[in-house]
Amino acid sequence: MRIPLIAGNWKMNKSVTEARHFIEAVQGKLPTADTVETAIAAPALFLQTMLEANQDDVLKIAAETCYYEDEGAYTGETSPKALHEMGIPYTIVGHSERRRYFNETDDVINRKVLAVLRNGMTPIVCCDETMGRRETGEKIHWVVNQVSAALKGVSAEDAAKIVIAYEPSWAIGSGNSASSDQAEDGCYLIRQTLADIYSDEVANGVRVLYGGSVRPDNIAGLMTRDNVDGVLAGGSSLDEQSFIQLANYQNL
Ligand SMILES: O=C[C@H](O)COP(=O)(O)O
């Protein structure tokens, strides 16, 4: 059984103080991890404060990115080794904003996936899709290529542990979520790609999330779909009450 994962991605928002207040506010209000797992990915400079405020340890504190080397002369980068040492379990890799604004290529994303796994963490690998490609029917190649490139050299054993997020660019921050049919299509395609690369067993164990304008008023419909195992929410994860609602979507 795949335990749903409701994850937030704060991007470059909030201050350290606001981050601490958020974590304090959600204590005791999130489902226990054996029913629905919850995570917030935040800028690296907030993580220690968030870990310290996370007294009940239900919420997973995650990173938004990291570098693909463990240490060395890479000014300004975040070490996956150091993240693991802090107790960070998840790191987002290959978000479309990293691809677009920081020129992350499939090769860089693949190296980061390998680095996150090598350091005992789980990558949340983001898979993008542009409106133009969706309309011209190129979606299949685009999604399949991104998943295949990101997982190059990843063993079946490691692949079984990863999380993949299907995040169409046209839905991110637009207020227009994919419909539940579109989300299911994208997540199914990713699972089929995993089955082709590895096996049905691996594909059926991997959690595939949908991301793009997920809100408390549309999460329940998305989560009814067979291949949608959770969400990666941006804007609606910034407010604690909204995130608590997302996490408790089964009661909405
Ligand atoms: O990682 C999260 C996605 O970029 C979605 O962001 P959004 O919920 O603000 O559309």
Side-chain angles (χ1 to χ4, degrees), residues 1 59 82 100 152 155 176 237:
M1 194 190 86
L59 179 70
R100 187 182 321 144
K152 204 168 146 197
S155 68
N176 296 316
S237 71

Side-chain angles (χ1 to χ4, degrees), residues 129-140 170 182:
E129 173 209 318
T130 66
M131 179 62 105
R133 288 189 172 86
R134 190 169 73 91
E135 287 174 340
T136 57
E138 288 179 38
K139 172 169 104 171
I140 290 182
W170 46 270
Q182 289 169 328

Side-chain angles (χ1 to χ4, degrees), residues 12 43-45 64-80 82-83 98 102 104 112:
M12 200 178 73
L45 76 169
E64 295 180 9
T65 185
C66 67
Y67 197 48
Y68 54 72
E69 297 291 350
D70 293 354
E71 57 197 0
Y74 305 105
T75 303
E77 286 292 349
T78 300
S79 156
L83 288 175
R98 299 292 314 175
F102 303 97
E104 287 195 5
K112 290 188 173 193

Side-chain angles (χ1 to χ4, degrees), residues 109-215:
I109 289 159
N110 174 237
R111 288 175 191 228
K112 290 188 173 193
V113 167
L114 293 169
V116 169
L117 289 165
R118 179 174 72 235
N119 283 285
M121 295 184 289
T122 300
I124 300 176
V125 183
C126 293
C127 177
D128 186 9
E129 173 209 318
T130 66
M131 179 62 105
R133 288 189 172 86
R134 190 169 73 91
E135 287 174 340
T136 57
E138 288 179 38
K139 172 169 104 171
I140 290 182
H141 302 297
W142 187 246
V143 170
V144 169
N145 287 347
Q146 283 189 29
V147 172
S148 309
L151 300 186
K152 204 168 146 197
V154 174
S155 68
E157 190 186 348
D158 278 344
K161 300 178 205 157
I162 65 169
V163 175
I164 300 187
Y166 169 61
E167 294 215 320
S169 296
W170 46 270
I172 296 176
S174 67
N176 296 316
S177 168
S179 66
S180 78
D181 281 349
Q182 289 169 328
E184 170 67 9
D185 274 1
C187 293
Y188 173 77
L189 181 56
I190 288 169
R191 202 176 305 286
Q192 284 307 112
T193 305
L194 293 169
D196 290 344
I197 300 172
Y198 296 100
S199 64
D200 286 348
E201 191 185 350
V202 168
N204 289 331
V206 169
R207 288 181 293 181
V208 183
L209 315 183
Y210 164 74
S213 297
V214 175
R215 299 179 305 270

